[in-house]
Amino acid sequence: MGRESGGPQNPAMLYNRTDLLQDFDQLAILSVEETFVDLQEGIFHSG
């Protein structure tokens, strides 16, 4: 987010913990984590 390329620019389009738990409420959820990640995958791909 905040860049012209990559994932959705609108945060409402991202998955969140609440939505996932509701969508998969018939399953036994072992772990759920909501976090921000800044990937560094080399000099030509970071963010």
Side-chain angles (χ1 to χ4, degrees):
M1 297 208 8
R3 300 178 187 267
E4 293 182 15
S5 64
Q9 298 302 308
N10 180 351
M13 295 182 69
L14 298 173
Y15 294 108
N16 64 51
R17 181 183 189 280
T18 302
D19 291 340
L20 290 173
L21 290 174
Q22 289 174 352
D23 290 346
F24 296 99
D25 64 347
Q26 299 297 311
L27 301 176
I29 305 299
L30 302 177
S31 176
V32 177
E33 181 178 346
E34 188 170 338
T35 187
F36 290 95
V37 176
D38 186 21
L39 294 176
Q40 301 297 326
E41 297 178 318
I43 60 173
F44 298 110
H45 189 193
S46 63

